[in-house]
Amino acid sequence: MKLGICSDHAGFEHKSRLKEWLAAEGYEMVDFGTDSTESMDYPDVAHPLADAVESGRVDAGIALCGTGNGMAITLNHHKGIRAGLAWDEEIAALVKEHNNANVLVMPARFISYEKACSLVKTWLESEFEGGRHQRRIDKIPCR
Ligand code: RB5
């Protein structure tokens, strides 16, 4: 499975460690930046990640910023993206089971690296339930 990953400066440390860990776990990782803790603008990395998920260049994505909200808001401007913010394992599971999130977003300033690993693992291992949840997803696009 090929995963895209991105963060702003606030999520850089977690992103770097997650990328190494997931590569060691056998995932093919594509890093969309940022490359340091120097202050930057999250849309500059969120849009390229979203493009890659929408085009199929990667199978799914992981994004981190301070609160997670800047990334989630930006990513969800893309029609093919369902970016879900998660900060505990139950939400990380539900965001796949109910929302079929193709990008997991995490609030780097509010969770430990160990928590981020656990959220990613939970999200990757959870399955979309379909059924009524697919019907709801089908109603999301703007008219
Ligand atoms: C950066 O200070 C912060 O605004 C950003 O990481 C994120 O939380 C925005 O939503």
Side-chain angles (χ1 to χ4, degrees):
M1 189 179 188
K2 198 185 273 194
L3 293 174
I5 193 166
C6 76
S7 75
D8 71 353
H9 51 287
F12 173 72
E13 300 289 353
H14 282 3
K15 175 177 70 73
S16 302
R17 296 179 70 185
L18 285 169
K19 184 176 77 168
E20 296 303 317
W21 169 64
L22 287 163
E25 292 286 307
Y27 292 93
E28 194 176 336
M29 301 303 295
V30 182
D31 187 350
F32 291 88
T34 188
D35 300 323
S36 76
T37 54
E38 188 179 335
S39 182
M40 57 82 68
D41 304 332
Y42 52 80
D44 293 343
V45 293
H47 288 305
L49 172 67
D51 291 340
V53 174
E54 286 184 305
S55 71
R57 181 181 164 207
V58 298
D59 299 305
I62 296 166
L64 302 109
C65 65
T67 63
N69 280 313
M71 286 291 183
I73 290 167
T74 307
L75 290 160
N76 281 317
H77 271 72
H78 289 248
K79 278 210 158 93
I81 300 298
R82 291 176 303 282
L85 179 61
W87 57 92
D88 75 17
E89 284 76 4
E90 191 173 2
I91 293 171
L94 285 167
V95 86
K96 175 72 76 61
E97 292 167 358
H98 289 189
N99 311 115
N100 201 17
N102 53 9
V103 182
L104 177 68
V105 184
M106 294 178 287
R109 285 189 171 139
F110 297 87
I111 60 171
S112 66
Y113 167 67
E114 289 73 21
K115 175 65 82 173
C117 290
S118 175
L119 299 180
V120 168
K121 187 169 159 51
T122 300
W123 170 70
L124 286 170
E125 291 176 355
S126 298
E127 301 274 348
F128 179 49
E129 291 176 4
R132 69 186 188 282
H133 301 297
Q134 183 61 57
R135 186 181 70 236
R136 291 162 187 169
I137 285 172
D138 291 341
K139 292 182 179 180
I140 291 174
C142 289
R143 281 162 268 179

